[in-house]
Amino acid sequence: MPPIELECIVKFGGSSITKKDEFETINADAWSFAIEIIRKVEGKCIIVHGAGSFGHFQAKEFGVSDGFDTESSCEDKAYVRKGFAVTKLSVTKLNHRLVSALVEAGISAVSVSPCSGWRTEDKSKVTSSDLETITGLLENGFLPVLHGDCVLDKTRGCTILSGDTVIEVLASHFKPKRVVFLTDVDGIYTLPPSHEDATLIPEIYFREDGEIMTAVTTDTKSHDVTGGLKIKLQTAWNILNESKGTIPVFVCNICSKAAEYSCCHGYLYEENGTALLLYRNQDHT
Ligand code: ATP
Ligand code: IPE
């Protein structure tokens, strides 16, 4: 397959495009910013969005992430199956609304749900992914819009595949110039941002052995079934490690200049946001 020059992969975090604590409620203010940014990206990109208040509540209530096994009773399996169906329906509702808004803004966005072509093993190991469809869409000038989804899992019947894991697989295959996570806070802080002593960290370096060089303390919303910021740091490390530091990762507020600059140009605006980078001794001697 010929390589495709991909400017960026952008994650619209569930915390930024929805009101994460209000059931199935979108954050309309953030949408106009996000769509405007995508219009300004010169070149090809892929959007992956989270579920936020569309999907996480249902996934948690029905235990979809843990799936079931051969020992599970028929009732338990039926319960999880129902959860899978309602979670999928909810996140697809969000996807439909987002893709509609993108199309209305003149962007040829096309929805690609991982449930159809992606499979996992033991929750987070992706064993197959439909990259051919995404490649075809990119080659023909479309903008693929994927999302965290309910998928079939070899060991657990089914599970929740996080949008962050989808991004890892896409980054490894398409090697974009950068990966940008758009969230509801200005970047990564030393402490959860609600904490009065929290300070924004403009750059976070990982050592080549995976050790993070700046201390970051996180918390997770109780209904977030895919792990919150801690998993995002792990995702960032996986991307940096896999690409040997050639794909920088940014975390920015969806409603910021930093979001626009990182998506369009690959650097932050006035240090508002966080760049995650690989620390190599030779670069610093
Ligand atoms: P997901 O990662 O599940 O796809 P998302 O992309 O919307 O979702 P979250 O994982 O919810 O993003 O991460 C953003 C949230 O992390 C913020 O709302 C913030 O309150 C919380 N958070 C906790 N600790 C920190 C920290 N040290 N720095 C920045 N945000 C933090
Ligand atoms: C979660 O995906 C998918 C479902 C619950 C169906 P993400 O992990 O990418 O979602 P956010 O960003 O945390 O909302």
Side-chain angles (χ1 to χ4, degrees):
M1 251 188 278
I4 291 175
E5 188 163 317
L6 193 63
E7 276 302 301
C8 58
I9 299 177
V10 185
K11 167 94 187 271
F12 289 1
S15 66
S16 58
I17 57 165
T18 76
K19 296 188 177 167
K20 221 167 171 174
D21 297 321
E22 291 173 43
F23 185 70
E24 295 194 347
T25 308
I26 66 159
N27 180 6
D29 293 345
W31 286 39
S32 30
F33 273 90
I35 292 169
E36 211 33 51
I37 291 170
I38 297 302
R39 277 156 62 96
K40 286 182 181 160
V41 174
E42 286 178 9
K44 297 181 189 295
C45 75
I46 301 176
I47 296 176
V48 178
H49 68 82
S53 58
F54 292 74
H56 273 292
F57 290 109
Q58 297 91 335
K60 181 154 177 114
E61 182 186 344
F62 290 90
V64 183
S65 184
D66 291 334
F68 44 75
D69 54 37
T70 44
E71 312 282 289
S72 305
S73 66
C74 287
E75 290 76 25
D76 285 351
K77 284 185 184 172
Y79 187 72
V80 175
R81 274 193 212 106
K82 182 179 175 197
F84 186 100
V86 294
T87 305
K88 170 86 185 132
L89 198 58
S90 183
V91 72
T92 313
K93 215 186 283 179
L94 175 65
N95 177 260
H96 183 79
R97 286 175 72 173
L98 182 64
V99 175
S100 302
L102 288 160
V103 173
E104 271 162 34
I107 299 163
S108 302
V110 176
S111 163
V112 182
S113 275
C115 181
S116 318
W118 295 55
R119 297 279 189 281
T120 54
E121 191 176 314
D122 205 13
K123 290 171 106 171
S124 55
K125 184 172 174 238
V126 176
T127 53
S128 58
S129 48
D130 184 10
L131 299 172
E132 229 172 283
T133 301
I134 302 163
T135 305
L137 288 170
L138 289 167
E139 280 171 347
N140 287 287
F142 295 102
L143 188 151
V145 184
L146 291 87
H147 54 88
D149 205 1
C150 309
V151 294
L152 297 176
D153 183 278
K154 202 174 166 194
T155 34
R156 294 161 183 266
C158 63
T159 191
I160 298 291
L161 174 65
S162 147
D164 290 8
T165 307
V166 170
I167 287 183
E168 250 181 76
V169 174
L170 296 175
S172 163
H173 182 79
F174 290 108
K175 309 199 180 334
K177 291 183 187 163
R178 51 202 166 267
V179 171
V180 183
F181 290 94
L182 300 181
T183 181
D184 63 337
V185 291
D186 282 346
I188 299 180
Y189 290 77
T190 48
L191 295 165
S194 53
H195 199 288
E196 59 177 27
D197 294 331
T199 353
L200 185 64
I201 313 169
E203 283 182 341
I204 292 180
Y205 280 93
F206 288 86
R207 275 192 230 282
E208 279 168 305
D209 63 1
E211 198 186 319
I212 190 163
M213 293 173 70
T214 315
V216 178
T217 304
T218 63
D219 61 3
T220 304
K221 293 240 181 339
S222 60
H223 61 262
D224 190 334
V225 294
T226 46
L229 194 82
K230 204 164 160 210
I231 297 294
K232 198 168 309 307
L233 289 171
Q234 180 64 47
T235 303
W237 158 247
N238 292 345
I239 293 169
L240 290 167
N241 187 34
E242 237 266 334
S243 69
K244 299 194 167 36
T246 57
I247 305 176
V249 177
F250 298 91
V251 178
C252 308
N253 193 317
I254 199 163
C255 302
S256 69
K257 266 274 181 225
E260 182 187 323
Y261 271 63
S262 52
C263 289
C264 298
H265 310 297
Y267 57 86
L268 294 168
Y269 183 80
E270 291 181 353
E271 299 196 338
N272 187 348
T274 302
L276 297 118
L277 306 156
L278 187 67
Y279 183 89
R280 281 176 298 212
N281 278 332
Q282 68 267 29
D283 300 342
H284 297 268
T285 47

